[in-house]
Amino acid sequence: MTAEPDDHFFVVDGRRWRRTDPALPEELAAALRSHLGRGRNAVRTAKRVGDDEALAAARQRNGLAKHGLGERGPEWWTRPEADRIADARRALDDLDALDA
């Protein structure tokens, strides 16, 4: 599936954000979004209590999830679909390992 250039980004309050890779299987994308949500909640909590170590760990979780979703790192639309999906699965494995 190829996306039109306008499909690569969306704008919120004048800020441009990269879209999630549309080639990711829904169950994989949902699992990555779940980790992203947990990471965002952890960032808020760590900031509120002033825990720098927890903040760093939460930001690491967010970064892994965003890379897996294709929202950070190499532009997903320039890479082969199989490579993108393999990278997303590796990111999910790394995220799941954080909870082990």
Side-chain angles (χ1 to χ4, degrees):
M1 171 182 207
T2 59
E4 295 299 317
D6 291 342
D7 292 340
H8 299 164
F9 300 95
F10 63 96
V11 177
V12 176
D13 295 330
R15 187 165 179 193
R16 189 173 79 154
W17 299 90
R18 192 186 306 179
R19 290 188 186 278
T20 297
D21 183 346
L24 297 180
E26 180 52 34
E27 69 278 356
L28 177 57
L32 290 165
R33 284 191 303 267
S34 175
H35 277 286
L36 181 59
R38 290 180 8 218
R40 287 177 173 162
N41 287 336
V43 164
R44 279 190 293 276
T45 300
K47 283 182 173 182
R48 187 174 58 244
V49 300
D51 186 338
D52 292 338
E53 190 173 309
L55 181 60
R59 287 185 171 155
Q60 177 190 15
R61 182 182 296 271
N62 288 348
L64 284 169
K66 286 188 150 291
H67 275 86
L69 289 164
E71 296 174 9
R72 287 193 187 148
E75 296 171 335
W76 51 260
W77 56 90
T78 63
R79 301 180 60 229
E81 185 174 313
D83 291 351
R84 298 176 350 229
I85 292 171
D87 286 348
R89 291 191 194 286
R90 274 191 295 279
L92 182 58
D93 289 345
D94 291 346
L95 286 160
D96 287 343
L98 294 175
D99 297 331

